[in-house]
Amino acid sequence: MSLQAVVEESLNVMTTDDKNTLINKVALIIDQVKEPATEDSYTKEQAFDRIVEEFRSSGVFG
């Protein structure tokens, strides 16, 4: 099963509120990306890691 299929399947079983929460968290992380990173921001690599963490904690990746 592809990563896209896993994500789509997981998102399909989430409630609307849970999806909105996840989207808002990911959007906030993306908004905080700056190169070079400061104390209050993320590099692209750090943002990717944080987004993966958010997906895992929400149950998207298992």
Side-chain angles (χ1 to χ4, degrees), residues 18-60:
D18 289 342
K19 286 181 202 177
N20 288 339
T21 299
L22 179 59
I23 290 167
N24 288 335
K25 287 179 180 181
V26 170
L28 180 60
I29 292 167
I30 291 169
D31 190 47
Q32 293 175 341
V33 172
K34 292 185 183 170
E35 294 286 344
T38 64
E39 289 181 18
D40 299 330
S41 67
Y42 297 111
T43 64
K44 291 177 186 176
E45 292 81 12
Q46 290 169 324
F48 177 81
D49 291 343
R50 288 285 300 125
I51 290 169
V52 170
E53 284 179 36
E54 291 298 339
F55 272 68
R56 280 193 178 127
S57 70
S58 69
V60 172

